[in-house]
Amino acid sequence: CAAETLFQKYRTMMQDHSVTDYLRSHIRTVPDWPSPGVQFRDITPLLQNPRVFRVLIDAFVHRYMEPGLRPGVVAGLDARGFILGSVTAKVLHDADCPVWTGVHMEAARVEDVRLGRVAVGLDLRSQSERTLMWARRFAQETGAEMALVHAMPCVSAAAGEPVDPEWQQRMEAGAQEEIDGLLRRLGWAAPVLLASGEAPETVCRLARDWGADLLVIGRGSASGILGRLRANAYSIIRQSHCPVVSV
């Protein structure tokens, strides 16, 4: 059938060097950008076409499928790495490995990094317990204090409608109760810091005001009114005053 013929052509292409030429033909050269004499290689066409992008990912995967070459963890760095590395990692495996990142970390020395206080950003979704358990274990191993931070959504009334003064209190009490229940299930005790506002700014501000040396956030829960850390992970990393571990 037509689908089988197309698959055979695709497999043949993947087995020889024509795949390299195929991918190269979809890389655009922008002369004299960003400065005269520079030939900038734009990979946007590789990412725009689903079929070409599939060939690109398969080229990565097939290169490292052999047991002796297969990596334990794939870390996607920088903008292109985020796109290519994350998809490649998902195809090869779904490794459980937290990533430590921070703004301008290349200028810091390992011996200058202090870990006396660990703040844990919770979004009260399914990932929260796993994130908290990882942070607790890390804090115990390093002898650090631990505090929980949670950003509640801002409460605003529609135009012409009064704001319910008790709504914010009820929302804060509900969040506190859920966090207390999580701590009781785990048999732990830790300070809980709550505030309303946009998730990145609020989480970073709470961690900074508490004097955190490390901020731990989860990256596996869905986004929603209270589950906003995954969608805002990059903003949190950029705005955090301290290193961030994304679990």
Side-chain angles (χ1 to χ4, degrees):
C1 63
E4 184 175 354
T5 302
L6 181 61
F7 174 76
Q8 291 296 334
K9 289 182 178 179
Y10 173 76
R11 189 170 69 172
T12 300
M13 182 180 69
M14 291 299 298
Q15 290 174 341
D16 60 32
H17 297 292
S18 65
V19 65
T20 302
D21 297 330
Y22 178 75
L23 294 174
R24 282 178 176 171
S25 68
H26 289 82
I27 298 177
R28 182 170 52 202
T29 299
V30 182
D32 300 319
W33 192 89
S35 59
V38 175
Q39 302 294 307
F40 179 75
R41 308 302 185 189
D42 180 18
I43 67 168
T44 303
L46 287 174
L47 309 179
Q48 288 179 326
N49 188 314
R51 181 179 298 175
V52 178
F53 185 69
R54 174 60 185 269
V55 172
L56 174 63
I57 296 301
D58 282 351
F60 276 110
V61 171
H62 288 185
R63 179 180 297 179
Y64 300 107
M65 280 296 290
E66 294 297 326
L69 299 176
R70 192 165 183 152
V73 173
V74 178
L77 305 179
D78 201 27
R80 298 181 181 186
F82 285 142
I83 299 172
L84 303 179
S86 60
V87 179
T88 301
K90 196 68 177 179
V91 175
L92 284 173
H93 49 62
D94 193 8
D96 181 10
C97 178
V99 177
W100 176 310
T101 183
V103 180
H104 309 308
M105 285 297 291
E106 65 276 5
R109 299 184 306 168
V110 174
E111 54 267 31
D112 293 334
V113 177
R114 299 187 305 111
L115 295 173
R117 288 191 159 194
V118 176
V120 190
L122 298 179
D123 57 13
L124 302 184
R125 308 285 283 201
S126 59
Q127 181 75 1
S128 294
E129 184 169 330
R130 177 176 175 271
T131 303
L132 181 56
M133 291 178 67
W134 188 94
R136 174 66 172 179
R137 184 170 63 251
F138 183 87
Q140 288 178 328
E141 292 176 354
T142 59
E145 299 179 62
M146 187 180 73
L148 282 56
V149 299
H150 174 68
M152 299 176 295
C154 292
V155 177
S156 59
E161 295 184 5
V163 177
D164 183 355
E166 297 182 357
W167 171 245
Q168 188 73 32
Q169 297 177 0
R170 291 199 298 269
M171 185 169 56
E172 182 173 341
Q176 182 71 55
E177 182 179 356
E178 189 166 351
I179 294 174
D180 289 344
L182 175 60
L183 289 173
R184 282 195 301 270
R185 288 199 306 274
L186 298 176
W188 299 339
V192 178
L193 310 175
L194 302 173
S196 298
E198 294 297 323
E201 293 82 359
T202 305
V203 168
C204 291
R205 175 173 55 82
L206 290 173
R208 182 183 63 250
D209 292 347
W210 184 65
D213 301 309
L214 180 69
L215 175 59
V216 180
I217 61 174
R219 54 182 165 86
S221 57
S223 176
I225 187 170
L226 293 178
R228 301 172 294 163
L229 294 191
R230 180 184 184 186
N232 292 285
Y234 183 72
S235 295
I236 292 174
I237 291 170
R238 296 301 302 174
Q239 296 181 43
S240 176
H241 75 290
C242 63
V244 178
V245 172
S246 174
V247 181

